[in-house]
């Protein structure tokens, strides 16, 4: 058996007759932070949805600890240890900050994360706990979305475009907090449009292009030219 916590092999995904992923081979080791980059429509979000059961895929194409989890219902996948911070945050607008965080505990596994620990990490969430989530700034709402995912005590945290719509200074604050989030060997996959940020925070990078992996490698080893070719398909 490989040392990977999670892997996909030949992962294909479609929306009706329209195929979005064409055989993605992906590996994630315990404690590793991997970034996925790629242009709009490359298939990054579809990949995240396929991992979390929001897009149906064949069982054997996604494995966690070597066991197939592809196509399981999303709640079951959370119970097995995967949690998603979705693109656009998707908070429950009618709920308070604390109620949103507690929604993440519906499929709670045993582990270090609870409200107290989250409030210690992000004191602003304790301060705003009883406020409607919609009254928070975009960056604060992103912290709620991250906190909600952590409440299930995931082994693998999947973050889809954390920086979407946020100011650069806020994006930096959020990425600065990631090492504090990635505790006890948690593994993280981020989808990130900002290539420089992706290279800075990750150990390895996968570049997607038109539903395929166009480049894969250690973040520090990839050159700007290699990434441009893989990202835009220019030769
Ligand atoms: P972005 O950065 O714009 O979010 P992405 O890399 O995440 O792009 P996806 O959203 O995964 O790309 O889209 C991959 C392909 O699947 C695109 O061709 C897109 O049009 C298509 N697609 C995505 N969602 C749906 C859907 N719900 N129904 C039909 N096609 C879809």
């Amino acid at each position: 058996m490989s040392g990977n916590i999670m892997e996909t092999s030949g992962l294909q995904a479609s929306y009706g007759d329209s195929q979005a992923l064409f055989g993605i081979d992906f590996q994630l080791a315990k404690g590793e932070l991997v970034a996925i980059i790629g242009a709009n429509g490359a298939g990054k979000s579809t990949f995240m949805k396929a991992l979390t059961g929001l897009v149906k895929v064949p069982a054997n194409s996604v494995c966690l600890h070597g066991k197939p989890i592809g196509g399981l219902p999303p709640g079951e996948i959370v119970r097995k240890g995967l949690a998603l911070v979705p693109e656009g945050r998707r908070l429950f607008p009618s709920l308070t900050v604390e109620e949103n965080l507690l929604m993440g505990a519906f499929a709670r596994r045993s582990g270090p994360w609870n409200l107290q620990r989250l409030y210690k990490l992000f004191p602003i969430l304790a301060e705003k706990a009883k406020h409607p989530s919609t009254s928070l700034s975009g960056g604060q709402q992103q912290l709620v979305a991250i906190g909600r995912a952590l409440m299930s005590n995931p082994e693998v945290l999947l973050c889809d475009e954390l920086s979407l719509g946020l100011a650069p200074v806020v994006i930096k604050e959020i990425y600065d907090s990631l090492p504090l989030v990635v505790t006890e060997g948690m593994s993280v996959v981020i989808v990130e449009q900002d290539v420089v940020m992706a290279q800075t925070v990750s150990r390895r990078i996968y570049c997607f292009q038109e539903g395929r992996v166009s480049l894969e490698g250690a973040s520090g080893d990839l050159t700007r030219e290699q990434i441009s070719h893989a990202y835009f398909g220019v030769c």
Side-chain angles (χ1 to χ4, degrees), residues 15 20 39-46 87 161 193:
Y15 298 97
N40 287 341
K44 307 178 299 295
S45 291
T46 303
E87 184 175 3
E161 303 226 20
Q193 292 263 4

Side-chain angles (χ1 to χ4, degrees), residues 4 6 12 22 27 44 53 66 81 88 123 137 143 147 184 194 196 201:
N4 296 320
M6 187 182 78
Q12 308 204 18
F22 297 84
Q27 294 88 34
K44 307 178 299 295
S137 69
L143 297 183
E184 284 96 25
D194 180 337
V196 176
V201 301

Side-chain angles (χ1 to χ4, degrees), residues 13-16 18-22 36-49 55 87 160-161 164 191-193 208-211 231:
S14 300
Y15 298 97
S18 169
Q19 190 164 352
L21 298 178
F22 297 84
I36 299 174
I37 60 172
N40 287 341
K44 307 178 299 295
S45 291
T46 303
F47 182 68
M48 297 299 236
K49 288 177 187 162
V55 168
E87 184 175 3
D160 196 353
E161 303 226 20
L164 196 71
V191 164
E192 180 52 68
Q193 292 263 4
F208 282 20
Q209 191 190 105
E210 295 180 358
Y231 202 99

Side-chain angles (χ1 to χ4, degrees), residues 138-149:
Q140 292 166 353
Q141 289 189 29
Q142 191 59 278
L143 297 183
V144 179
I146 294 170
R148 182 179 57 185

